[in-house]
Amino acid sequence: MRTPIAVIALAAAAVLASIPAAAQEIAAGTRVRITLTPQRDVEGYTPPQVLRGTLVAMDATSMTLQLHPGAGPVRVQRDAVRRVDVSRGVPSRAANAAMGAVGGAVVGALEFWLLNDEEFDSDSEAAWTGAAVGAGFGLVTGALFPRERWKRVRLPDARVSLAPGVEGGTAIAISISR
């Protein structure tokens, strides 16, 4: 019985893998966060390098970022980029506080409910107390420390088209896939 299910699952995975994910063109002036591929020549573990800045230009082989207004632009080869995220902005302090309160209430309720060792009369009392404590903590931290939100995007495949300058010449098209 497991063999047909495994075959169907593998076939479905192959079909889904063959469908290209929607690529998104990123406009110049967009705030981006890129994660670089690990360095192979460094011995030991090195965490991935993350660069945040404004996209100045992007062509078939590289991306140019302005990391800080006081620094010059940085050019990064596209094949060195592992992941690209586009900023969705920083929510207002009120919205961030509300999200923090909801998340804190859920975590606090679960924690107090799971760790209730006869300190409360019932599990529901422990959960409600944890929800109140967690909501208060999440409300304060969410309002004080709003965080930028990011959306992962897939870069379009690098394609280069060259047109000849002479009339009647043949067109040249080069496609570079990542």
Side-chain angles (χ1 to χ4, degrees):
M1 183 66 176
R2 290 184 185 168
T3 304
I5 294 173
V7 169
I8 292 171
L10 286 174
V15 168
L16 290 175
S18 67
I19 298 172
Q24 181 177 347
E25 189 67 35
I26 303 171
T30 304
R31 184 159 164 77
V32 296
R33 175 177 69 181
I34 62 172
T35 305
L36 302 178
T37 56
Q39 298 177 15
R40 302 280 183 230
D41 56 346
V42 177
E43 197 171 312
Y45 172 75
T46 56
Q49 292 179 328
V50 178
L51 302 174
R52 291 176 191 88
T54 304
L55 183 68
V56 175
M58 182 169 61
D59 59 20
T61 59
S62 66
M63 299 172 70
T64 305
L65 298 176
Q66 181 74 37
L67 301 179
H68 188 275
V74 174
R75 188 176 178 141
V76 178
Q77 295 298 320
R78 280 183 59 174
D79 56 350
V81 175
R82 180 197 305 182
R83 177 180 175 152
V84 177
D85 299 303
V86 174
S87 176
R88 292 178 25 206
V90 179
S92 68
R93 289 192 184 272
N96 211 39
M99 288 187 289
V102 170
V106 170
V107 170
L110 284 173
E111 184 176 346
F112 275 55
W113 176 64
L114 291 173
L115 300 178
N116 183 16
D117 292 334
E118 307 300 327
E119 293 178 27
F120 297 96
D121 293 336
S122 67
D123 285 344
S124 64
E125 182 184 350
W128 283 109
T129 304
V133 170
F137 183 75
L139 181 82
V140 170
T141 57
L144 292 177
F145 308 107
R147 301 189 65 188
E148 188 169 11
R149 297 172 300 160
W150 298 94
K151 177 186 174 194
R152 185 174 186 174
V153 295
R154 183 173 172 264
L155 292 177
D157 291 335
R159 300 186 195 287
V160 178
S161 297
L162 303 174
V166 180
E167 284 188 33
T170 58
I172 300 171
I174 300 171
S175 175
I176 303 170
S177 297
R178 296 183 331 138

